[in-house]
Amino acid sequence: MTSMNFTQKDPPQWLLDFWKEIDDKTFGKGFDCLADDAVCNLGVADWHGRNTIRDNLRQFIDRGFTAHHDVVEYWDGGSIKMFHGKVRMTFDDKSLPVVRPTMAHFFYMDQNDPSKVSRWLGAVGPTEF
Protein backbone atom coordinates (compact mmCIF):
# COMPACT_ATOMS: atom_id res chain seq x y z
CA MET A 1 0.00 0.00 0.00
CA THR A 2 1.20 3.48 -0.85
CA SER A 3 0.06 6.58 0.97
CA MET A 4 0.46 10.17 -0.15
CA ASN A 5 -0.40 13.56 1.30
CA PHE A 6 -2.16 16.16 -0.86
CA THR A 7 -2.28 19.90 -0.34
CA GLN A 8 -5.02 22.07 -1.80
CA LYS A 9 -3.39 24.92 -3.71
CA ASP A 10 -4.07 27.51 -6.35
CA PRO A 11 -3.77 25.88 -9.77
CA PRO A 12 -0.28 26.21 -11.27
CA GLN A 13 0.31 28.32 -14.36
CA TRP A 14 1.11 25.26 -16.50
CA LEU A 15 -2.39 23.89 -15.84
CA LEU A 16 -4.09 27.21 -16.60
CA ASP A 17 -2.03 27.58 -19.79
CA PHE A 18 -2.95 24.04 -20.85
CA TRP A 19 -6.69 24.63 -20.49
CA LYS A 20 -6.41 28.05 -22.16
CA GLU A 21 -4.89 26.44 -25.27
CA ILE A 22 -7.90 24.13 -25.47
CA ASP A 23 -10.44 26.89 -24.72
CA ASP A 24 -8.88 29.23 -27.30
CA LYS A 25 -8.49 26.38 -29.82
CA THR A 26 -4.83 27.34 -30.33
CA PHE A 27 -3.24 24.06 -29.11
CA GLY A 28 0.21 25.63 -28.80
CA LYS A 29 2.82 26.05 -26.06
CA GLY A 30 0.40 25.18 -23.25
CA PHE A 31 0.85 21.57 -24.29
CA ASP A 32 4.56 21.80 -23.37
CA CYS A 33 3.51 20.68 -19.87
CA LEU A 34 3.19 17.18 -21.35
CA ALA A 35 6.25 14.97 -21.74
CA ASP A 36 7.05 14.03 -25.34
CA ASP A 37 5.93 10.45 -24.63
CA ALA A 38 2.96 11.34 -22.39
CA VAL A 39 -0.05 9.04 -22.29
CA CYS A 40 -3.61 10.39 -22.11
CA ASN A 41 -6.62 8.33 -21.07
CA LEU A 42 -9.45 10.81 -21.37
CA GLY A 43 -12.72 8.92 -21.25
CA VAL A 44 -12.30 6.16 -23.83
CA ALA A 45 -9.25 7.79 -25.43
CA ASP A 46 -5.87 6.06 -25.28
CA TRP A 47 -3.48 8.54 -26.85
CA HIS A 48 0.31 8.21 -26.76
CA GLY A 49 2.67 11.15 -27.27
CA ARG A 50 2.26 14.91 -26.75
CA ASN A 51 1.62 15.61 -30.44
CA THR A 52 -0.93 12.80 -30.73
CA ILE A 53 -2.74 14.11 -27.64
CA ARG A 54 -2.73 17.65 -29.05
CA ASP A 55 -3.95 16.54 -32.51
CA ASN A 56 -6.72 14.32 -31.14
CA LEU A 57 -7.97 16.99 -28.74
CA ARG A 58 -8.00 19.50 -31.59
CA GLN A 59 -10.10 17.12 -33.70
CA PHE A 60 -12.46 16.46 -30.79
CA ILE A 61 -12.98 20.14 -29.89
CA ASP A 62 -13.37 21.14 -33.55
CA ARG A 63 -16.36 18.79 -33.88
CA GLY A 64 -18.96 21.36 -33.12
CA PHE A 65 -18.42 23.04 -29.77
CA THR A 66 -16.32 25.54 -27.85
CA ALA A 67 -15.14 24.71 -24.35
CA HIS A 68 -14.31 26.87 -21.36
CA HIS A 69 -12.64 25.12 -18.40
CA ASP A 70 -13.06 26.41 -14.84
CA VAL A 71 -10.92 25.21 -11.96
CA VAL A 72 -12.97 24.34 -8.88
CA GLU A 73 -10.14 22.78 -6.88
CA TYR A 74 -6.56 21.68 -7.38
CA TRP A 75 -4.67 19.27 -5.13
CA ASP A 76 -0.90 18.74 -5.23
CA GLY A 77 0.49 15.41 -4.06
CA GLY A 78 3.99 15.91 -5.43
CA SER A 79 4.22 13.27 -8.14
CA ILE A 80 0.43 13.29 -8.66
CA LYS A 81 -1.74 16.36 -9.18
CA MET A 82 -5.55 16.25 -9.02
CA PHE A 83 -7.90 18.71 -10.62
CA HIS A 84 -11.67 19.07 -10.29
CA GLY A 85 -13.53 21.52 -12.43
CA LYS A 86 -16.42 22.30 -14.71
CA VAL A 87 -16.35 22.74 -18.45
CA ARG A 88 -18.87 24.94 -20.22
CA MET A 89 -19.59 23.43 -23.63
CA THR A 90 -21.25 25.79 -26.09
CA PHE A 91 -22.33 23.98 -29.22
CA ASP A 92 -22.14 25.40 -32.73
CA ASP A 93 -25.68 24.10 -33.21
CA LYS A 94 -27.56 26.83 -31.31
CA SER A 95 -30.57 24.54 -30.87
CA LEU A 96 -28.49 22.55 -28.36
CA PRO A 97 -28.30 23.87 -24.80
CA VAL A 98 -25.04 24.92 -23.18
CA VAL A 99 -23.93 22.24 -20.71
CA ARG A 100 -21.50 22.38 -17.75
CA PRO A 101 -20.38 18.85 -16.89
CA THR A 102 -18.05 18.12 -14.00
CA MET A 103 -14.47 17.06 -14.74
CA ALA A 104 -11.93 15.13 -12.70
CA HIS A 105 -8.33 14.75 -13.83
CA PHE A 106 -5.20 13.10 -12.47
CA PHE A 107 -1.81 14.24 -13.71
CA TYR A 108 1.10 11.90 -13.02
CA MET A 109 4.35 13.81 -13.22
CA ASP A 110 7.34 12.42 -15.11
CA GLN A 111 9.92 10.76 -12.85
CA ASN A 112 12.83 12.13 -14.90
CA ASP A 113 11.39 15.64 -15.29
CA PRO A 114 8.82 16.39 -12.57
CA SER A 115 7.83 19.61 -14.38
CA LYS A 116 6.21 17.50 -17.13
CA VAL A 117 3.08 15.34 -17.11
CA SER A 118 3.80 11.74 -18.13
CA ARG A 119 0.26 10.42 -17.76
CA TRP A 120 -3.09 12.16 -17.79
CA LEU A 121 -6.25 10.38 -16.68
CA GLY A 122 -9.47 12.29 -17.00
CA ALA A 123 -13.23 12.03 -17.09
CA VAL A 124 -15.87 14.57 -18.10
CA GLY A 125 -19.59 14.31 -17.83
CA PRO A 126 -22.05 13.02 -18.42
CA THR A 127 -23.43 15.92 -20.42
CA GLU A 128 -27.02 14.70 -19.99
CA PHE A 129 -29.13 11.92 -18.51
Side-chain angles (χ1 to χ4, degrees):
M1 176 182 278
T2 301
S3 65
M4 182 179 290
N5 292 322
F6 285 84
T7 304
Q8 188 172 17
K9 295 182 174 183
D10 289 333
Q13 194 61 49
W14 65 263
L15 182 65
L16 298 174
D17 292 346
F18 178 69
W19 293 126
K20 185 169 178 15
E21 292 286 354
I22 296 169
D23 293 348
D24 292 349
K25 297 186 178 186
T26 50
F27 300 94
K29 290 221 174 265
F31 279 76
D32 290 350
C33 67
L34 301 174
D36 288 338
D37 61 349
V39 173
C40 172
N41 298 112
L42 182 59
V44 298
D46 183 30
W47 301 328
H48 296 255
R50 176 174 49 219
N51 290 331
T52 299
I53 295 166
R54 179 191 339 250
D55 292 344
N56 283 313
L57 275 173
R58 180 184 292 124
Q59 289 176 27
F60 175 69
I61 296 292
D62 282 345
R63 286 191 188 156
F65 71 94
T66 299
H68 177 80
H69 295 82
D70 291 313
V71 176
V72 174
E73 58 185 322
Y74 172 81
W75 292 83
D76 189 331
S79 62
I80 301 174
K81 319 297 186 191
M82 293 187 301
F83 161 75
H84 162 233
K86 296 236 181 223
V87 58
R88 183 179 67 239
M89 300 168 76
T90 305
F91 296 94
D92 296 346
D93 179 348
K94 298 304 178 197
S95 70
L96 297 173
V98 173
V99 295
R100 286 188 46 86
T102 295
M103 308 180 295
H105 298 276
F106 295 85
F107 297 97
Y108 294 79
M109 307 313 285
D110 190 84
Q111 289 180 350
N112 296 321
D113 183 354
S115 71
K116 303 282 186 188
V117 175
S118 64
R119 186 161 185 215
W120 169 24
L121 302 174
V124 178
T127 59
E128 64 182 58
F129 283 104

